[in-house]
Amino acid sequence: MELTVNGITKSFGDVQALKGISFAARSGAPMGLLGRNGAGKTTAMRIIMDIFAPDSGTVLIDGKPIDRHSVRLGYLPEERGLYRKTCVGEQLVYFGRLRGLSRLEAQDAAEQWLKRLDMYEYRDKRVETLSKGNQQRIQLALSLINDPEVIILDEPFSGLDPVNAGQLREIVQERAQMGRLIIFSSHQMESVENICDDIVILKKGSIAVGGSLSEIRAGCPRDRVRIVAEQADRVQEAAQRYGSCEPLKDGLLVRLCQADSRQKLLAELVSAEVGLLTFETVEPSLEEIFVAAAGEETEPQKPAEEQPAAGRRGRRRR
């Protein structure tokens, strides 16, 4: 399955949230949709979910408009979307039925997810009595209650401790291995880097960077080298002729003035017999790629239409 976004635009009054963005996500290959606050991520997700209609452009699955009656969708919104006075188990069954499950199917799915997320003991508790992290785990269960084919997760790590965050990563990777199509947004770059195959970075409603993470890295300058050697002083003396140096806990990071001087520096260190232990090119992290692509963006105020509104909750959960 492939989900294709073609030329989507969307404005809220005078604010143009999306400016003709296009990208594709594939089954089994989680895609990270990234950007600073106000960049347009949530708007794009809500258009895919048919919560907002685009001003122009299309959203297709396998080249055809999405038939939301035949394609199972799961959405975890950034803001809380739970009925606070309702018991956890009752609420999961209710939403399971809204998403096409029979009562028995919904009850079985709710029990399965509550046990999987170590939340079964809370099944008869009202949502308002749960911690923020446990509410987020219930929202995850709600987004997966109908075994969706397309899963959209907006800031899913919000409120989760490291143990529960690890469990979420495990579930996302498991769903990907099952062939589900996953679009994933988070400001936790390390988690995105561990989960996602493809990346789209939005900046002011446009795509700043897009493609597979490996391809994006390959297109970045290979101008940093990590060096560990027995004679660190002599390494730094040689490296300073090729670029700037930054001490590391176990060695030296050299940012070369010219990327093609890497082999010259290596040859000089070998010839100088400095006791070279490690000489490796340092690839940019996703966080560094993100900062380079979106770091200069000022964060505009989010349009009123993007703010959580209790009156729209029922539609958002469908």
Side-chain angles (χ1 to χ4, degrees):
M1 179 183 292
E2 182 174 78
L3 184 145
T4 307
V5 170
N6 290 321
I8 290 294
T9 66
K10 183 66 179 179
S11 295
F12 299 98
D14 296 332
V15 177
Q16 190 172 7
L18 296 175
K19 305 173 182 177
I21 67 170
S22 298
F23 60 83
R26 302 168 288 128
S27 294
M31 192 200 80
L33 183 60
L34 310 177
R36 297 185 66 184
N37 295 335
K41 307 182 301 297
T42 297
T43 299
M45 291 180 171
R46 290 180 176 178
I47 287 174
I48 293 171
M49 292 297 299
D50 199 31
I51 296 170
F52 293 157
D55 296 334
S56 62
T58 58
V59 178
L60 308 173
I61 283 186
D62 293 334
K64 300 177 181 178
I66 300 177
D67 181 353
R68 289 174 173 81
H69 297 290
S70 61
V71 177
R72 299 188 305 277
L73 302 172
Y75 177 40
L76 191 156
E78 179 179 5
E79 71 278 1
R80 293 289 179 268
L82 302 170
Y83 293 118
R84 294 178 56 79
K85 303 285 185 185
T86 305
C87 291
V88 167
E90 177 185 347
Q91 190 159 173
L92 288 174
V93 171
Y94 171 71
F95 284 111
R97 297 205 67 193
L98 282 182
R99 293 177 181 176
L101 302 181
S102 69
R103 176 170 292 278
L104 183 58
E105 289 171 335
Q107 289 172 340
D108 287 345
E111 182 173 327
Q112 171 194 335
W113 280 111
L114 287 172
K115 289 180 177 178
R116 174 69 187 276
L117 295 169
D118 302 318
M119 293 291 291
Y120 191 71
E121 63 183 289
Y122 299 102
R123 63 191 181 281
D124 297 323
K125 301 289 186 181
R126 291 192 300 182
V127 167
E128 65 183 357
T129 67
L130 304 183
S131 67
K132 180 180 178 182
N134 283 342
Q135 288 186 33
Q136 187 72 348
R137 293 158 79 187
I138 296 303
Q139 287 217 144
L140 176 62
L142 191 154
S143 69
L144 300 174
I145 192 76
N146 62 331
D147 189 20
E149 299 163 278
V150 177
I151 302 169
I152 299 178
L153 306 175
D154 194 355
E155 293 296 341
F157 292 103
S158 176
L160 297 183
D161 61 39
V163 173
N164 291 325
Q167 186 181 53
L168 170 59
R169 285 192 293 269
E170 179 183 303
I171 290 171
V172 171
Q173 290 166 339
E174 173 190 279
R175 297 286 122 176
Q177 290 171 1
M178 294 170 62
R180 304 300 186 254
L181 191 153
I182 301 171
I183 298 177
F184 185 97
S185 180
S186 176
H187 287 128
Q188 295 192 20
M189 295 297 147
E190 183 177 354
S191 294
V192 176
E193 194 166 8
N194 290 334
I195 291 172
C196 295
D197 297 287
D198 300 322
I199 300 294
V200 171
I201 300 177
L202 297 181
K203 180 175 181 179
K204 297 181 180 179
S206 299
I207 294 179
V209 174
S212 74
L213 186 53
S214 59
E215 290 173 349
I216 292 170
R217 280 202 175 105
C220 294
R222 303 175 67 83
D223 60 353
R224 294 185 303 170
V225 178
R226 174 177 166 266
I227 304 173
V228 181
E230 295 173 355
Q231 300 182 37
D233 292 343
R234 293 180 60 196
V235 169
Q236 182 164 348
E237 181 182 347
Q240 286 174 338
R241 294 194 288 272
Y242 294 89
S244 59
C245 299
E246 176 185 339
L248 300 175
K249 183 177 180 180
D250 62 346
L252 192 69
L253 180 68
V254 182
R255 185 178 295 274
L256 302 169
C257 295
Q258 297 179 335
D260 61 2
S261 62
R262 183 172 56 251
Q263 294 301 322
K264 295 178 182 178
L265 173 58
L266 175 59
E268 181 171 334
L269 294 176
V270 170
S271 176
E273 298 181 351
V274 296
L276 194 62
L277 302 175
T278 301
F279 187 97
E280 62 181 3
T281 300
V282 178
E283 291 191 330
S285 66
L286 179 56
E287 181 173 349
E288 291 170 325
I289 293 170
F290 178 88
V291 170
E296 296 180 0
E297 178 183 346
T298 57
E299 300 186 13
Q301 183 175 357
K302 187 177 288 189
E305 287 84 349
E306 289 195 74
Q307 299 288 354
R312 292 197 299 272
R313 283 183 177 175
R315 189 181 180 196
R316 185 166 56 243
R317 290 197 191 92
R318 73 184 208 172

